[in-house]
Amino acid sequence: MAIQITANGFRLDTAHTSYFLERVAGDYLAHTYYGARIGADSALHLIPTYFQNYNAYPADFEGAEASVCLQTLPQEYGTTGGADFRTAPILIRHTDGSATLDLRYESYRLFDGTPDFDAMPFPYQNEGEDVDTLEVTLVDAPSGVRAVLGYTVFEEKDIIVRYTRVQNGGDGAVRLCRVASAQLDFVRADFDFIHLYGAWAQERQISRRPLAQGKQGFASLRGTSSHNHSPFFVLCDHTATETAGDAYGVHLMYSGCHETTVERSVYEDTRAQIGIASDSFEWTLCAGQSFTAPAAILAYSEAGLGGMSRRLHTFIRENICPAQWKGKPRPILINNWEATYFNFDEEKLLSIARAAAPLGIELFVMDDGWFGHRTSDNCSLGDWTPDRTRLPLGVSHLAAEVVQSGMQFGIWVEPEMISEDSDLFCAHPEYRIAIPGRAPTVARHQYVLDFTRTEVIDCIWAQLKDLLSSAPITYVKWDMNRALTDAYSSSLPPARQGEFLHRYVLGVYDLMGRLTREFPHVLLENCSGGGGRFDCGMLRFSPQIWCSDDTDAQERVCIQYGTSLGFPVSSMGSHVSAVPNHQTWRSISFDTRAKIAMNGTFGYELNVNALSEEERAQIPAQCAYFRAHADLIQNGDLYRLCSPYESDRFAAWAYASADKKELLLFAYQSKGHANPVDLFLTLPADPSLTYTDEEGVTCGGDTLAHAGVRVHFGFGDHLAKTLYFSAKE
Ligand code: DGJ
């Protein structure tokens, strides 16, 4: 049983972890333990019971209870305005303007499966999987405000999904100004804090630093989860490696503004919180109303960062990404963006498609520029009908020709946007997000549609539905190329304008839900100026996301390695592009570019007709190699072996099948030297098996696991190698 009622509260057990919630003096809900699975029924002995100087305490604390000090008590959800002086997870303005919230245990309920999560994405339960949910209600008695803390335990996956629902049980309207989805308190502070930061063409770089005194954290206020900071963080031992040490990874399943705050207190404890960004959020809760904050996904592993990542990868692949794509091969695609940009017509696209089809490429994607009269990025967004000068016979004719050539057909859209120069803007200028009396901010010459309004979503949905019904389209790239500004909707009263950014995200989920429900055979690939909206919320609708507009292999090694800390390889859109690379002007060999792009969904983004004969001749073998190993790469276990963030020469990682009978190593030399050295790696092999490599050489699993392999690159920059091993019974 994953959830048990104990003498003092509750214990949540997964196959390898335990999580304890226990009631202490005054009915505060303490968080007493989260870590490797233990047998004890209580961990109350871990909480500090000494009295801190200058302590404050609730008036109803007496005698022994006064020894529980709220400012050092690890709590499930902190209190506000009382004796807990750390960052509060919640901030509510009551009807009288005060903000104290003294949350105490009130009740619980247990149920099988996952909660009803309204309009927001939540992980799903697979058939035969043991999933249970505990909801614990805390109440602030004077106001009647409640926080319902949810814990959905995916036992075999070693994952706990947390959520928070705030209910206004009082008489008047209150203002919710901050609500963390999850808080994790620890009685220790000797952690490293890891998160993924970046920019356009430089997404998800790894930042790792020891937790410092006081508050630290990050946020996105861009309306999307953003290129700048992933809604994901890790706390781990200072000594944690890829194979050993405590590592806690937390994802927010959300695609809008988010924040993470980690506070190391002077008493050497830690409080971490993740949730919607409070700087740009305010929600009015009338009497009887409730607000559900996005889900947070928790993974712990004592096997270091590698163990933690693999738990998250499996969970994202099997319980978040749409079920119809679970374990299914993804098509090798060719996208025309970097091949043509806006300079194309049907003939040019067909010449690329017809040249690509016989090479083993399976899907042709027509990118930006096919609609309205869009010959540059300054017009036509919102008009999702084909440009007849480029596509005289429409999308359906092009799609039919592509299918005829032996490939599937996919298309690019940017549904959330509007250009001033568009039919949609002429008909409905009021659909654009703008604050009356202010000129709205412009980015890439475009504006954002007010997705808090159902009629706006309906209008775009009608167009998308027509488009997807008009042709044999099996793939959609959903792009989003600017940040949200000027948060305001004419449909909301002044007191509710603080709700805009969250309501916008709900609108996006609404439209994505319509699309994926109505066209379940369509593979949706998310994109936001590259990987600017790479989060577990988006992954609930689209199993793959364009990882970055930077297609340079050297840069991609770092971007994909960083992304893998929290996200599975199967979610990373990655393509081979032309050289000199359009983002970095670096030239890297065709072979290396392909080997690096294989660590993702794999595809090409170039004009095959412009390649040399020699390069074009490599494509069939590249496609065949990827196809042969795609299942291992996309559904196998990832082991990071050598970090490009720690080595200025090498990077390496390997995939292992669940039974370890297949191993595939990728190694990369970024920089050669006058005195070349080799890379020595131990592999995630089963010591009891005997493996054979691609050249027929056999080797014991014990040798691969303990002595390892030697990878020789010799002279040269930007070289990549693969090594494949398989074992028979
Ligand atoms: C940004 C995307 O990341 C690119 O791949 C491409 O689709 C362009 N937008 C098109 O405008």
Side-chain angles (χ1 to χ4, degrees):
M1 181 61 188
I3 301 173
Q4 288 177 51
I5 317 298
T6 60
N8 309 310
F10 312 90
R11 61 174 295 160
L12 317 177
D13 289 307
T14 68
H16 303 97
T17 71
S18 295
Y19 185 115
F20 286 27
L21 306 77
E22 302 193 65
R23 291 155 64 179
V24 296
D27 262 342
Y28 286 100
L29 190 63
H31 171 66
T32 52
Y33 178 73
Y34 182 30
R37 187 159 175 160
I38 54 173
D41 268 351
S42 166
L44 275 176
H45 65 286
L46 294 176
I47 66 169
T49 50
Y50 40 83
F51 195 88
Q52 297 293 357
N53 285 333
Y54 291 100
N55 189 14
Y57 48 91
D60 63 355
F61 269 30
E62 277 173 16
E65 293 192 335
S67 67
V68 172
C69 178
L70 283 186
Q71 65 186 340
T72 53
L73 179 72
Q75 295 176 60
E76 277 303 315
Y77 211 64
T79 52
T80 315
D84 172 2
F85 298 102
R86 290 163 293 179
T87 313
I90 183 166
L91 181 63
I92 282 199
R93 285 274 162 219
H94 299 291
T95 44
D96 64 2
S98 67
T100 291
L101 204 65
D102 188 22
L103 292 168
R104 314 247 188 148
Y105 175 82
E106 183 183 51
S107 61
Y108 76 92
R109 84 181 177 110
L110 274 176
F111 52 91
D112 287 343
T114 58
D116 175 5
F117 219 56
D118 308 326
M120 269 193 298
F122 197 86
Y124 57 88
Q125 175 181 18
N126 292 295
E127 222 183 294
E129 239 174 18
D130 216 347
V131 178
D132 299 289
T133 298
L134 166 72
E135 282 188 352
V136 182
T137 301
L138 309 181
V139 64
D140 175 56
S143 68
V145 170
R146 289 177 171 78
V148 179
L149 307 182
Y151 302 81
T152 300
V153 183
F154 290 79
E155 200 175 346
E156 296 104 78
K157 295 284 171 54
D158 284 311
I159 295 284
I160 296 172
V161 180
R162 284 190 55 175
Y163 57 93
T164 300
R165 185 175 297 124
V166 183
Q167 297 173 338
N168 180 6
D171 295 332
V174 299
R175 261 184 305 134
L176 180 61
C177 306
R178 177 162 72 233
V179 54
S181 291
Q183 170 179 304
L184 259 186
D185 277 7
F186 296 89
V187 289
R188 49 178 284 216
D190 53 340
F191 286 120
D192 273 8
F193 176 39
I194 304 180
H195 59 99
L196 304 174
Y197 72 96
W200 173 78
Q202 199 196 345
E203 294 88 339
R204 288 170 298 285
Q205 308 290 302
I206 298 176
S207 161
R208 178 173 181 166
R209 59 196 146 125
L211 212 54
Q213 268 296 330
K215 282 192 202 183
Q216 47 246 275
F218 55 86
S220 163
L221 301 179
R222 301 179 72 92
T224 61
S225 46
S226 88
H227 300 85
N228 299 152
H229 295 286
S230 271
F232 168 71
F233 72 90
V234 177
L235 288 174
C236 64
D237 288 345
H238 294 312
T239 52
T241 62
E242 281 294 328
T243 53
D246 283 343
Y248 299 86
V250 182
H251 271 291
L252 187 69
M253 196 167 181
Y254 191 56
S255 312
C257 299
H258 60 88
E259 71 187 4
T260 290
T261 306
V262 185
E263 183 176 0
R264 173 176 171 177
S265 89
V266 292
Y267 304 111
E268 293 301 322
D269 53 46
T270 303
R271 167 166 292 179
Q273 292 163 351
I274 193 164
I276 294 177
S278 47
D279 279 2
S280 51
F281 171 83
E282 215 176 76
W283 199 274
T284 300
L285 277 179
C286 297
Q289 287 185 335
S290 62
F291 177 86
T292 305
I297 297 156
L298 276 55
Y300 161 80
S301 173
E302 75 268 38
L305 299 169
M308 175 208 75
S309 292
R310 284 187 291 280
R311 284 188 177 153
L312 290 171
H313 293 170
T314 308
F315 188 67
I316 291 172
R317 281 197 313 256
E318 298 182 3
N319 298 80
I320 291 183
C321 289
Q324 64 269 36
W325 296 105
K326 195 178 348 174
K328 291 265 168 58
R330 310 283 174 72
I332 299 173
L333 66 81
I334 185 157
N335 176 303
N336 74 301
W337 178 242
E338 286 199 21
T340 65
Y341 295 103
F342 290 110
N343 180 19
F344 67 84
D345 57 17
E346 183 184 88
E347 201 185 324
K348 192 163 184 180
L349 295 185
L350 279 177
S351 78
I352 297 174
R354 287 179 180 137
L359 303 176
I361 300 173
E362 299 155 341
L363 164 73
F364 177 82
V365 180
M366 174 168 65
D367 209 279
D368 193 356
W370 60 267
F371 51 93
H373 55 276
R374 189 161 165 97
T375 47
S376 75
D377 60 13
N378 63 10
C379 69
S380 300
L381 293 165
D383 299 344
W384 300 108
T385 46
D387 174 354
R388 294 281 165 177
T389 53
R390 290 172 190 273
L391 307 175
L393 301 170
V395 172
S396 56
H397 182 262
L398 172 68
E401 289 294 313
V402 168
V403 170
Q404 180 69 27
S405 77
M407 280 197 287
Q408 300 172 49
F409 179 77
I411 199 163
W412 177 99
V413 287
E414 194 173 1
E416 297 154 73
M417 296 296 149
I418 184 165
S419 306
E420 265 187 352
D421 179 2
S422 68
D423 294 347
L424 183 64
F425 190 79
C426 288
H428 290 290
E430 79 284 6
Y431 281 7
R432 168 177 73 170
I433 295 172
I435 303 172
R438 278 179 201 274
T441 307
V442 63
R444 209 193 186 206
H445 314 290
Q446 66 196 54
Y447 299 91
V448 188
L449 286 165
D450 182 354
F451 264 36
T452 70
R453 293 169 61 181
T454 312
E455 67 273 30
V456 177
I457 299 173
D458 288 345
C459 161
I460 298 299
W461 173 228
Q463 296 190 58
L464 291 184
K465 216 160 121 175
D466 281 352
L467 172 67
L468 296 180
S469 311
S470 73
I473 296 170
T474 56
Y475 165 105
V476 168
K477 177 176 173 187
W478 178 313
D479 206 345
M480 200 284 189
N481 281 301
R482 62 159 291 179
L484 267 64
T485 54
D486 308 296
Y488 180 87
S489 175
S490 56
S491 66
L492 294 170
R496 287 192 175 271
Q497 291 297 337
E499 302 176 10
F500 176 84
L501 288 168
H502 180 59
R503 288 185 184 274
Y504 177 90
V505 178
L506 297 182
V508 173
Y509 290 151
D510 176 4
L511 187 58
M512 279 186 188
R514 296 187 201 192
L515 194 158
T516 49
R517 273 193 308 276
E518 191 109 349
F519 299 94
H521 66 284
V522 168
L523 172 61
L524 187 63
E525 173 154 351
N526 258 284
C527 172
S528 180
R533 204 159 54 175
F534 205 120
D535 58 67
C536 286
M538 284 291 128
L539 286 168
R540 184 67 194 86
F541 301 92
S542 80
Q544 58 192 60
I545 301 178
W546 181 228
C547 206
S548 176
D549 272 351
D550 195 334
T551 52
D552 173 61
Q554 166 69 32
E555 301 285 306
R556 274 299 187 119
V557 166
C558 293
I559 293 169
Q560 292 171 194
Y561 201 96
T563 304
S564 80
L565 202 62
F567 301 94
V569 167
S570 60
S571 67
M572 301 181 207
S574 48
H575 301 165
V576 183
S577 62
V579 288
N581 178 269
H582 296 192
Q583 294 78 37
T584 62
W585 300 106
R586 194 182 276 127
S587 288
I588 292 182
S589 76
F590 200 54
D591 176 65
T592 296
R593 279 179 275 152
K595 284 190 174 126
I596 299 307
M598 281 183 201
N599 295 278
T601 56
F602 194 51
Y604 295 81
E605 184 146 342
L606 41 70
N607 185 351
V608 276
N609 299 307
L611 292 175
S612 68
E613 269 310 316
E614 192 198 330
E615 284 172 335
R616 203 171 25 248
Q618 294 177 48
I619 295 180
Q622 291 170 349
C623 291
Y625 192 83
F626 178 74
R627 202 26 83 231
H629 299 301
D631 186 42
L632 182 56
I633 293 171
Q634 296 185 343
N635 302 310
D637 292 326
L638 174 74
Y639 290 81
R640 288 178 297 261
L641 304 177
C642 174
S643 170
Y645 293 89
E646 287 161 19
S647 165
D648 66 349
R649 290 187 182 205
F650 300 120
W653 55 94
Y655 304 95
S657 57
D659 59 8
K660 298 241 170 123
K661 286 187 177 158
E662 282 192 281
L663 301 174
L664 179 60
L665 169 72
F666 282 84
Y668 177 69
Q669 173 166 288
S670 52
K671 249 196 319 198
H673 286 265
N675 301 300
V677 293
D678 292 339
L679 176 60
F680 292 89
L681 298 165
T682 54
L683 300 185
D686 179 341
S688 69
L689 296 173
T690 301
Y691 292 83
T692 309
D693 72 12
E694 281 152 305
E695 275 150 26
V697 179
T698 60
C699 186
D702 52 350
T703 304
L704 294 177
H706 304 305
V709 293
R710 184 167 66 87
V711 185
H712 174 73
F713 291 101
F715 298 111
D717 295 346
H718 313 303
L719 304 174
K721 286 194 184 255
T722 60
L723 278 176
Y724 173 73
F725 300 88
S726 63
K728 297 226 162 55
E729 283 301 340

